Every structure is written in structure tokens, then in C-alpha cells.
């Protein structure tokens, strides 16, 4: 069997949840959209069900899957519904939907709810992707408040730049949100992972943790030892060769050996979701020791420099996890860790719970 393995350490997921809940205080949603950022939504939600205050997914079908697998805690639909007809299921499955535009608001107000519902009303505080403008927010809030089927309104917004060093945009968004909601009652929720770690004033009634829940630091380039990487991608060296100096390796002959080089062949490629743009010099670990990729990433394989190591065929390789931080890979590949995590596929999945 091909040795590419994607280990999901569910005990780390629980530790990260507890840590982030402690940081944020109050209540914390575990964001498990997009198959829990590639970690397996059902497995992750089940591992957190007894400690999580609630979950967040992107859309109805993601929530249905969780309910069908026994998840009973609150689930928020972050994109809201796409058609009014979906509200019948929102009602039947006790989901909490986001309302971020007038059409969704009209649909919620017109729906014949069987039970009172909780609505998360989203404000566009400056990101300009989704949400009511601050000037229209109070009217939307009042319309919901007057609807007898709406028992709760959670005021929410989302940050554009909370993971960046420059605080101006985030500070401006916080101010905008607070000003436009100051006379409106009910709970609030504004912090994603980066905001809850970097801006204590974003700690409100509900935090919404995604990336950091999976143990990835939202601030690339710095370390946070409290966050434990949940996913570990590993494989093996399954062949090797010795090349003399000045020999090319791989597609495009993009890398030439500088001196005699022992080259290991690893079972992992871009078809497994490893970013093809992480080319020569990207870090990788062999039996716990750091070395580097050399040559381009192929569809199913990659080549690494074994010259300074004593290991060879059969040696364990870590693509990312405990020794190699996924942020290092994302940085050299010109992407973000979110995208890499969501893309990992074709690997054997192993769920570990200690
Ligand atoms: C995905 C998402 C989050 C989680 O963001 P992280 O940066 O992964 O913590 C929070 N809120 C909303 C609205 C989201 O869409």
C-alpha cells in the first residue's frame, strides 16, 4: 500500500478548542465548514460534541450531514440559505441561519416557522463581502425583533485583516460594528481565530474558531506553542539514487545538483493536494530531521535531498505536522494554510484519539 498517510489527532483538536475557549471566554463555535478544513467534519464534530458550545458550517447540506451523524449542539449556517425553501429544513433540524442580505431577511420574515428560531444577523463593517451596511443594520434588526417566530438575534460581523500586523482596518471595523449596534440588544459575535488571539476587545458572547482550532497559527512567521497541529501528513522514501554534480532532476530540469547528491523519492505529489508551487528548497523532515525538496513536485511523487542524512529507503518523511509547520509550506508556495488543508486528498486517513 502507498505509504502517504494523513493523521488527524483528535485529542489535539480538543486541546485547541479548550485553549481557544479560554482565550476568548464565553462561548465558542467550532467552525467545521469545508469538511472541517479538510480534517473530516463528522469525525471532528463528534470529537468535540461534548465540549463545544456549537458548530459553524457554510451551508445547509453541511449541517444536515452533522445532524444525521448525531450532532445535537447548535449549528450556524455562515452563508445563510440560498433559497427560501431551505428554511423548512433549518426549522426542522433546529439550525441557526445567518441573514446577510435583504432577500434572506424577507425569506425569514415570510417563512411559516414551526418553532421559534435564532437568527445571526450579519453586518458589513468594512470587509465589503457580505452583510448589511451599518446604516441599514438597525432596520433589519428591528424587522427581525418584531417577528414573533424569531426568539433570538445574534449580531455578527467578520474581519478582513485580523491576521495582519497592521491593526488599523480591524480597529476601524470594531468601531463601526460597536457604533451601529450600541442601542440593539442581544448577543454578539465578531472574532475569528486571528481576532480572538490578537484583539481581546473582540471577545464577545460567541467566538468563531476555524484555523486555530486545527492547530495552525493564523500569524505566519510566529509560533504559538499552545496550538497543536491536528493534521500530520507523512509518507516514506521509497527509492533513491545518487547523482553526480551538475545533473538535472525532474520535470523542466529546473534543479541541477551542485555536488554529488543522494536523492530520495517520496510518495506524495500535487494530486494529493501538496502545492506544486512549493518547489526546490521547501522544508521537509526525514525521520525527524529537516532537509529540503529538490526539483519540481510531480503528480504522485517528489524528490528530496538525502545527502546529509543517514536515512534511506523506507525512512519516514513528514510533509507537515510536528516538525514542519504548514505555514512554512504555504509561504513558499504563495498560498495560505487554509487552502493546503482543504486540498489534501488520496492519502490514507487515520483518526487518532488519545
Ligand atoms: C470561516 C469563518 C470563520 C473562521 O475563520 P478562521 O480564520 O478559520 O478562524 C469565522 N467566521 C466566519 C463568518 C467564517 O466564514
Amino acid at each position: 500500500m502507498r505509504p502517504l498517510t494523513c493523521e488527524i489527532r483528535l485529542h489535539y483538536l480538543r486541546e485547541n478548542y479548550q485553549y481557544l475557549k479560554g482565550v476568548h471566554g464565553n462561548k465558542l463555535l467550532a467552525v467545521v465548514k469545508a469538511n472541517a478544513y479538510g480534517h473530516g467534519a463528522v469525525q471532528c464534530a463528534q470529537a468535540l460534541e461534548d465540549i463545544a458550545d456549537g458548530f459553524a458550517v457554510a451551508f445547509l447540506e453541511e449541517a444536515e450531514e452533522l445532524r444525521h451523524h448525531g450532532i445535537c449542539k447548535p449549528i450556524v449556517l455562515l452563508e445563510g440559505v440560498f433559497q427560501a425553501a431551505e428554511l423548512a429544513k433549518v426549522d426542522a433540524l433546529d439550525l441557526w441561519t445567518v441573514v446577510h442580505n435583504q432577500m434572506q431577511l424577507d425569506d425569514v420574515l415570510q417563512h411559516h416557522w414551526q418553532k421559534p428560531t435564532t437568527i445571526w444577523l450579519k453586518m458589513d463593517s468594512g470587509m465589503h463581502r457580505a452583510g448589511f451596511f451599518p446604516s441599514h443594520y438597525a432596520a433589519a434588526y428591528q424587522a427581525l425583533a418584531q417577528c414573533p417566530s424569531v426568539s433570538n438575534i445574534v449580531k455578527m460581523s467578520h474581519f478582513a485583516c485580523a491576521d495582519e500586523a497592521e491593526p488599523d482596518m480591524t480597529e476601524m471595523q470594531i468601531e463601526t460594528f460597536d457604533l451601529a449596534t450600541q442601542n440593539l440588544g442581544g448577543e454578539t459575535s465578531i472574532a475569528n481565530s486571528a481576532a480572538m488571539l490578537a484583539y481581546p476587545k473582540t471577545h464577545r458572547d460567541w467566538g468563531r474558531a476555524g484555523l486555530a482550532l486545527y492547530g495552525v497559527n493564523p500569524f505566519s512567521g510566529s509560533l504559538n506553542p499552545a496550538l497543536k497541529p491536528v493534521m500530520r501528513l507523512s509518507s516514506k522514501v521509497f527509492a533513491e539514487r545518487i547523482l553526480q554534480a551538475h545533473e538535472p532532476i525532474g520535470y523542466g530540469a529546473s534543479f541541477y545538483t551542485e555536488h554529488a547528491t543522494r536523492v530520495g523519492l517520496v510518495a506524495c505529489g500535487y494530486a494529493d493536494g501538496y502545492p506544486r508551487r512549493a518547489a526546490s528548497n521547501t522544508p521537509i523532515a526525514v525521520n525527524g530531521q529537516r532537509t529540503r525538496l529538490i526539483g519540481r513536485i510531480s503528480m504522485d511523487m517528489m524528490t528530496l535531498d538525502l545527502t546529509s542524512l543517514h536515512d534511506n529507503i523506507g525512512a519516514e518523511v513528514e510533509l507537515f505536522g510536528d516538525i514542519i509547520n504548514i505555514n512554512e509550506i504555504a509561504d513558499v508556495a504563495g498560498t495560505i494554510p487554509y487552502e493546503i488543508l482543504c486540498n489534501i486528498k488520496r492519502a490514507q486517513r487515520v483518526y487518532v484519539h488519545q
Side-chain angles (χ1 to χ4, degrees):
M1 187 156 45
R2 189 165 179 254
L4 183 64
T5 303
C6 178
E7 246 179 284
I8 306 293
R9 285 95 53 105
L10 295 169
H11 48 292
Y12 283 175
L13 186 73
R14 287 173 65 87
E15 287 173 34
N16 294 334
Y17 181 89
Q18 307 272 31
Y19 164 71
L20 292 164
K21 178 154 165 144
V23 168
H24 183 275
N26 301 323
K27 291 174 281 186
L28 183 66
L29 291 180
V31 180
V32 293
K33 64 191 178 191
N35 200 27
Y37 293 39
H39 293 70
V42 168
Q43 290 89 341
C44 289
Q46 285 174 343
L48 292 172
E49 170 80 346
D50 65 323
I51 53 173
D53 301 306
F55 297 95
V57 295
F59 52 89
L60 175 65
E61 288 75 11
E62 290 185 332
E64 278 186 287
E65 191 193 15
L66 297 183
R67 283 283 186 258
H68 290 155
H69 284 87
I71 300 302
C72 299
K73 290 281 172 74
I75 305 177
V76 178
L77 310 183
L78 293 170
E79 282 184 299
V81 297
F82 293 85
Q83 284 114 24
E86 294 174 29
L87 291 174
K89 277 189 178 161
V90 168
D91 194 2
L93 296 174
D94 272 318
L95 307 174
W96 295 353
T97 189
V98 165
V99 165
H100 62 73
N101 62 44
Q102 189 65 40
M103 209 166 63
Q104 288 179 334
L105 178 62
D106 294 341
D107 289 344
V108 163
L109 295 175
Q110 280 155 28
H111 185 71
H112 296 290
W113 294 88
Q114 304 296 308
K115 323 180 212 78
T117 191
T118 292
I119 298 295
W120 285 51
L121 183 63
K122 186 165 182 171
M123 183 191 300
D124 173 6
S125 56
M127 184 172 178
H128 296 344
R129 182 180 63 174
F132 288 84
F133 288 130
S135 54
H136 294 67
Y137 192 82
Y141 180 97
Q142 297 305 348
L144 286 170
Q146 281 155 23
C147 176
S149 299
V150 176
S151 53
N152 269 308
I153 306 169
V154 180
K155 294 159 287 168
M156 73 173 291
S157 194
H158 193 52
F159 295 114
C161 305
D163 55 354
E164 288 171 15
E166 174 57 58
D168 288 10
M169 175 76 176
T170 306
E171 297 285 357
M172 187 278 285
Q173 286 195 258
I174 298 168
E175 251 178 65
T176 301
F177 179 84
D178 286 343
L179 189 66
T181 56
Q182 62 183 346
N183 298 317
L184 309 176
E187 294 184 318
T188 63
S189 172
I190 53 177
N192 63 350
S193 297
M196 75 184 68
L197 291 167
Y199 298 87
K201 67 172 112 162
T202 66
H203 301 164
R204 305 293 167 93
D205 299 288
W206 290 90
R208 309 187 302 266
L211 191 69
L213 182 63
Y214 304 101
V216 179
N217 192 344
F219 314 104
S220 138
S222 70
L223 288 178
N224 184 340
L227 296 174
K228 308 277 174 53
V230 176
M231 188 186 289
R232 180 173 184 269
L233 188 66
S234 65
S235 190
K236 284 189 172 160
V237 175
F238 70 106
E240 67 171 0
R241 69 187 60 237
I242 299 197
L243 294 178
Q244 297 312 307
H246 315 300
E247 295 288 344
I249 301 177
Y251 284 118
S254 67
F255 179 89
Y256 275 78
T257 55
E258 285 142 31
H259 37 70
T261 301
R262 198 149 58 90
V263 183
L265 188 60
V266 176
C268 179
Y270 62 76
D272 304 300
Y274 192 92
R276 182 177 170 280
R277 286 191 55 198
S280 293
N281 295 324
T282 300
I284 185 165
V286 179
N287 281 337
Q289 275 187 285
R290 291 170 73 99
T291 179
R292 57 173 184 153
L293 301 183
I294 46 180
R296 286 198 185 148
I297 310 290
S298 302
M299 186 180 283
D300 314 304
M301 293 179 259
M302 58 177 73
T303 37
L304 56 71
D305 188 349
L306 282 176
T307 309
S308 59
L309 304 176
H310 299 290
D311 309 290
N312 41 30
I313 295 173
E316 207 233 24
V317 170
E318 180 183 290
L319 287 309
F320 59 80
D322 295 328
I323 296 158
I324 307 296
N325 188 323
I326 192 171
N327 274 312
E328 297 180 76
I329 312 287
D331 288 346
V332 294
T335 183
I336 52 174
Y338 299 79
E339 188 181 36
I340 299 176
L341 292 172
C342 290
N343 280 342
I344 298 303
K345 52 187 163 299
R346 241 177 32 153
Q348 300 172 57
R349 296 235 150 202
V350 180
Y351 285 89
V352 188
H353 209 153
Q354 272 169 19

